[in-house]
Amino acid sequence: VEALLSGRIEFLRNNLNLLKKEGDFLHLFFGGNAYYEEKNVEIDFFDTLILNGVVTSISILFFYLLLLYKACKKKDITLIALNFTCILISFTAGHVWANLTGGIFFIIVNLFPYVFCETRKKRKKHCFFYLS
């Protein structure tokens, strides 16, 4: 596990100890601004937890779980795999949630069935000369 996570467990342990020692109720719920020896955890959930607090961390996690739930409800295996992989990677590597480049791709992939496929269906229904 240590080799896979590249020392992130030690960063997490140090930062959680710092949060316990110096943190209070407000830091726990709404975040703080200090890392142990200026080394962040590099695991998205825990970085968000330490910097932004429980409220933001749970909200972001809920968002990703909601996307996974919707993909499961639609029985879209590709979206299920993508969303599950994104959640899994965010708990083993850093900068998945906060990476804008990856975020744009993630948003497009999750919106594709709702926006592009629905638009195509509407065009077929309303356009007499629609060519597929």
Side-chain angles (χ1 to χ4, degrees):
V1 172
E2 191 65 30
L4 175 67
L5 297 178
S6 306
R8 291 182 180 101
I9 296 296
E10 187 63 30
F11 297 158
L12 175 60
R13 192 175 300 124
N14 291 337
N15 283 297
L16 289 178
N17 286 335
L18 180 70
L19 186 64
K20 282 182 199 173
K21 190 166 82 173
E22 296 181 8
D24 57 3
F25 180 78
L26 288 176
H27 279 100
L28 180 64
F29 277 91
F30 301 109
N33 60 355
Y35 280 120
Y36 180 81
E37 295 181 3
E38 302 299 319
K39 291 184 180 177
N40 59 354
V41 179
E42 295 182 8
I43 299 174
D44 282 332
F45 178 78
F46 296 107
D47 272 344
T48 307
L49 182 68
I50 291 167
L51 285 180
N52 303 107
V54 171
V55 174
T56 303
S57 300
I58 297 300
S59 299
I60 293 172
L61 183 61
F62 177 75
F63 169 73
Y64 281 100
L65 292 175
L66 180 67
L67 289 176
L68 182 63
Y69 169 76
K70 285 187 170 202
C72 289
K73 192 173 174 183
K74 255 190 116 131
K75 297 179 182 164
D76 187 338
I77 300 298
T78 306
L79 271 181
I80 292 170
L82 174 79
N83 290 324
F84 182 74
T85 303
C86 185
I87 292 169
L88 184 66
I89 289 172
S90 71
F91 275 91
T92 58
H95 316 298
V96 175
W97 289 0
N99 183 344
L100 181 61
T101 309
I104 291 171
F105 170 74
F106 186 78
I107 290 167
I108 290 171
V109 168
N110 273 285
L111 284 177
F112 188 83
Y114 300 105
V115 176
F116 298 105
C117 295
E118 292 298 321
T119 304
R120 187 171 181 203
K121 286 178 190 175
K122 286 178 185 175
R123 262 190 298 185
K124 273 187 175 180
K125 188 169 34 171
H126 297 295
C127 184
F128 180 72
F129 298 107
Y130 182 76
L131 301 172
S132 7

